[in-house]
Structure formats: C-alpha cells, structure tokens
Amino acid sequence: MVSNNPSDMIKLISILQKIIINPYIGVFVSLILIIPSLYIILEDVTVIRKEYIFLAIGLPIYIKSLNKIFDDILNPDKNHFK
C-alpha cells in the first residue's frame, strides 16, 4: 500500500529522477523505439507511417544517452548521474 508520507514521496521522486537521468536507461528506451520502427519502416519505405515519428524521437535520445556514456568513460572523475 502506498502511503502519503512526504518522506516516502521524496524518496520516490529521487529514485525516479535517478532513473530518468541514467544514460543506460535512455539507450534502452531509445532502442525500444528505434528497432521496431525500423522493422516496420523497412517493409515499405514509400509509405508514411507513425513509426517515422517514433524514429525521430528515439534517435536523439539514443545519441544523447551515448554521448553521456562516452563522456563518463573519457572523464571518469566527472560523474553525470549519481
């Protein structure tokens, strides 16, 4: 059961914030958008589909997340997600 205790809500918000800014989660979510979209788009590229929108959303998330991951690898003293 979920309580309305403010400290529990703050903990929940803190955990969600850490999940959202984690670049590995960003890569995972973007691949969930990109891979099925490409599979559907490649069946017939001449037809405009909603999957183009998913692809347009997923690619920037993927690039941004990979950028954060590589920045963390190249600059280990700067931790972007705590």
Side-chain angles (χ1 to χ4, degrees):
M1 199 158 42
V2 177
S3 67
N4 288 331
N5 189 354
S7 64
D8 291 340
M9 297 296 270
I10 291 172
K11 289 178 186 176
L12 178 65
I13 291 171
S14 174
I15 291 170
L16 287 175
Q17 187 179 25
K18 288 179 183 178
I19 289 172
I20 290 172
I21 63 171
N22 188 334
Y24 295 100
I25 300 295
V27 168
F28 180 71
V29 169
S30 63
L31 287 176
I32 287 175
L33 288 172
I34 292 170
I35 292 172
S37 297
L38 284 175
Y39 181 74
I40 293 171
I41 289 171
L42 290 175
E43 287 179 7
D44 186 11
V45 294
T46 60
V47 178
I48 301 296
R49 302 170 188 251
K50 68 178 180 254
E51 283 75 18
Y52 285 110
I53 296 170
F54 295 146
L55 191 62
I57 293 170
L59 280 176
I61 294 171
Y62 185 70
I63 292 169
K64 183 178 176 187
S65 298
L66 283 180
N67 188 20
K68 283 184 182 180
I69 291 170
F70 289 129
D71 284 347
D72 288 341
I73 291 170
L74 295 175
N75 298 322
D77 54 335
K78 282 184 149 181
N79 193 0
H80 292 286
F81 58 99
K82 298 177 182 177

